Amino acid sequence: MKMARPFREREAFPVRVPRALLSVLVLVVLVSGAFAKRHERLIESWKPTNYDVSLILDDRLSEITSAKAVITIQSLRDNLSLIDFDFGELTVDSVTVDANNARFEHSNGRLNVTLPKPESRDARIVVTVAYHGSPKDGLILSSDKSGKPSAIGDNWPNRLHNWIPCLDHPSAKASVRFTVTAPERTLVVANGALDKVETVAVGTRTWTYTERAPIPPYCMIIAVGEFALTKPDGPTVTPLAYYVPQPDKEFAMQGFAPANPSLKFFSETVAPYPYEKLALIVGATRFGGMENSGAIVFSSNLFDRRSNSDPISKVFKIRSGIVSLVAHEIAHQWFGDSVTESTWADLWLSEGFATYFAALFIQRHEGEQEFRHYMAKAAETYLNYAKKKRAPLFDTETEGLLSLLNPNNYQKGAWVLHMLRGRLGDEAFFRGVRAYYRAHEHGTASSENLRSALEKASGSILKDFFARWVYASGHPQYELSWHWQRVRKRGGALTINLKQTHHDAPFLDPLQIEIVTAKRAMRTTIKPVGRETTISIPVATRPMKIVLDPDVFVLKELLVK
């Protein structure tokens, strides 16, 4: 959950889209792609496949006294002659290519390394960069809540380059090994499994962690501090440990109570947990939580008492906000970390999934009422946001990456998944999600990849749904009116009129309608054909009420007349 604090079985209906509307939606997609304002640095001429990073920190954790990054690179084209790393303002001491000294230029956030000779496509190149200094960002050198020095990685969206030379885009996934030398009074945790801890010099210890799965650069972190370390009792899905400041030691076990149930639920619902272990860390992050692969960092005030009215979970006996946050960040281990968005425009595949799967966890453990409350609050958050800004879910234009941490990608993204679940039914929806995950595990995925997986799993055609809900902006504003008229002594006719009062193209999603009379409740489906749709059906007695979308599977505003 990367957000500023505080944010901090049914029938699949075919949809017929009028030719004019389909043309408009296709045009929206094409125009948004052709005139996108945001420039992304994508993988084009080379890509990293592994980082081997050694860091030596001073006694006060105030600087990197010595660092070496050994980066294995694959050439993606013939005649590759330059490796252009993203790299911040740390001092570069030397650069070698395949163990030979290399020419380099370091300025304006780039480290350009000239290769001794042009390399062919698929060539393997090893670049070693030695450097030192105090990072301005990315690796946060500060004090924890008890005043003890700490060093914690906090890289989203593209801040890893402030302390490690890299290709700083989420699609540039690679494996990583960290070797960290720090004061012996501290504990060190990082991505991956702990290989060894050694005493190399008096007063220090050296920790080595290896993450063999490729992970996005924003998830590559270390955390160093005088943590209190606790581990849950009993079996866990994966080795699970909590690293917290000393004042939080007594509450950590209860505070992280949803962690192992979340791991179990997502492992059963999606796929086995994708990493070697999971560390939950309380420390320095600008976000409420940051989902680094196998090493999630939560804000330092996570367990602080709050004066607001955040309710207490009846199941876990902690603030409901902590329950949803922990579930959200753990869901990211599958969606965002293992299956990573191909471009920033696909961010909803990370944040929308994590938001919705946190809701599914609440549905499983807290019950249907709490789930509906969570989704209603998500809808309210998005609808309030939509009054101020309109943008497609697949947003190619918002320039500031931090501005993408908005209710479009979180709450609307979650609702789009919820609508797909309602439309396809649980069996097909979750089968499609599992297929999507398996196809892109430890890789990247796009919105079209998700659509394809869900279509194959359900047999439905979802192109028009994605065109309207993902690639275009807005949501439906419905005005529902109805009239019942007796047409014979023992019968009557119900006329239902549905208008769409928003200004842009209509939504053509089929909608269930529940008709409640004194004797029974019945359901029918209205299939919008444009901005206004009217249907007439026989109903013997005057309805007591008409309910549009009785199972609440559509993100909407509704006025009933």
Side-chain angles (χ1 to χ4, degrees), residues 392-532:
L393 195 56
F394 186 85
D395 182 353
T396 62
E397 298 190 6
T398 297
E399 184 67 29
L401 296 179
L402 287 171
S403 296
L404 291 175
L405 302 182
N406 58 50
N408 234 21
N409 279 311
Y410 286 79
Q411 284 81 3
K412 184 179 182 181
W415 264 96
V416 166
L417 293 171
H418 187 54
M419 287 187 288
L420 286 164
R421 178 188 174 193
R423 183 168 184 153
L424 304 179
D426 278 12
E427 183 179 350
F429 174 76
F430 287 108
R431 184 168 62 247
V433 168
R434 286 190 287 269
Y436 163 77
Y437 179 82
R438 287 194 303 270
H440 304 284
E441 183 179 10
H442 299 314
T444 61
S446 68
S447 299
E448 287 301 288
N449 295 142
L450 176 62
R451 178 173 72 87
S452 177
L454 293 175
E455 287 181 339
K456 290 178 182 178
S458 65
S460 300
I461 298 174
L462 298 172
K463 184 176 182 179
D464 300 330
F465 178 93
F466 271 66
R468 192 65 189 88
W469 281 103
V470 176
Y471 298 114
S473 61
H475 59 275
Q477 295 172 318
Y478 294 123
E479 183 181 292
L480 178 72
S481 60
W482 59 274
H483 173 72
W484 181 84
Q485 182 178 1
R486 185 176 297 279
V487 295
R488 54 185 181 273
K489 288 185 178 181
R490 295 185 179 180
L494 175 65
T495 300
I496 299 175
N497 179 264
L498 183 68
K499 294 181 180 179
Q500 299 192 34
T501 60
H502 51 271
H503 296 297
D504 46 10
F507 289 79
L508 303 181
D509 305 278
L511 295 158
Q512 281 203 332
I513 294 180
E514 186 172 71
I515 303 161
V516 181
T517 68
K519 294 184 178 180
R520 66 185 182 121
M522 66 185 103
R523 291 191 179 188
T524 189
T525 299
I526 186 168
K527 300 178 181 179
V529 294
R531 194 164 291 282
E532 185 170 0

Side-chain angles (χ1 to χ4, degrees), residues 232 235-238 240-242 251-267 273 278 280 296 298 302-303 311-331 333-334 357-366:
T236 56
V237 171
T238 192
L240 183 59
Y242 311 142
F251 190 69
M253 198 69 70
Q254 182 180 352
F256 286 130
N260 196 47
S262 294
L263 285 165
K264 185 174 186 294
F265 174 66
F266 300 141
S267 295
Y273 179 70
L278 180 60
L280 302 185
I296 298 170
F298 296 90
L302 177 69
F303 297 141
I312 301 299
S313 164
K314 295 179 181 178
V315 176
F316 298 104
K317 312 303 180 185
I318 57 177
R319 288 188 291 108
S320 295
I322 298 178
V323 175
S324 60
L325 177 59
V326 169
H328 179 111
E329 302 307 331
I330 291 178
Q333 304 296 296
W334 286 262
F357 271 72
L360 295 176
F361 175 77
I362 289 170
Q363 186 177 33
R364 168 68 66 88
H365 285 274
E366 307 269 11

Side-chain angles (χ1 to χ4, degrees), residues 29 59 61 63 117 124 139 149 163 188 193 217 224 232 282 315 325 461 463 467 485 487 514 519 524 550 552:
V29 176
D59 187 68
L61 304 183
E63 67 173 346
K117 61 181 179 61
R124 178 181 176 274
L139 183 65
W163 59 292
V188 176
V224 184
V282 172
V315 176
L325 177 59
I461 298 174
K463 184 176 182 179
Q485 182 178 1
V487 295
E514 186 172 71
K519 294 184 178 180
T524 189
V552 198

Side-chain angles (χ1 to χ4, degrees), residues 228-230 244-253:
L229 172 61
T230 59
V244 302
Q246 294 294 334
D248 289 336
K249 180 179 180 179
E250 300 304 320
F251 190 69
M253 198 69 70

